[in-house]
Amino acid sequence: MAQRPDPRTEPQTRSWIAFLTGAVVMLAIVLAWLAWSRSHDAVRTVRADIALPRPDLPSLPTTPPPEGPHLPPVPVPTPR
């Protein structure tokens, strides 16, 4: 006849296994996210190093824009 494990110790073992499994999964998720974000940073750095030709843009006008409509002053409430 097969021996059965002590029922008092088995739930503790299962809880530790579940805890360690969860910790390993969380660590794997964090490491995958870090690797993914670093790869995007590297791509942005490579793109920033590539000099793209920029067309000559016309200069913007230096005169101020025309005055727009003005709002009337806000009435200030006075106590009675």
Side-chain angles (χ1 to χ4, degrees):
M1 187 178 331
Q3 262 189 335
R4 300 182 78 194
D6 188 8
R8 290 177 287 170
T9 60
E10 189 170 337
Q12 289 177 343
T13 305
R14 286 184 183 172
S15 64
W16 273 105
I17 292 172
F19 173 76
L20 291 177
T21 303
V24 168
V25 168
M26 291 300 290
L27 180 63
I29 290 171
V30 168
L31 290 176
W33 179 78
L34 284 174
W36 181 75
S37 66
R38 301 282 176 165
S39 68
H40 279 278
D41 290 341
V43 168
R44 280 191 220 120
T45 303
V46 169
R47 286 183 186 166
D49 291 342
I50 298 173
L52 299 175
R54 294 189 177 187
D56 292 330
L57 298 175
S59 62
L60 296 175
T62 57
T63 59
E67 296 240 358
H70 294 284
L71 296 174
V74 180
V76 179
T78 56
R80 293 183 181 183

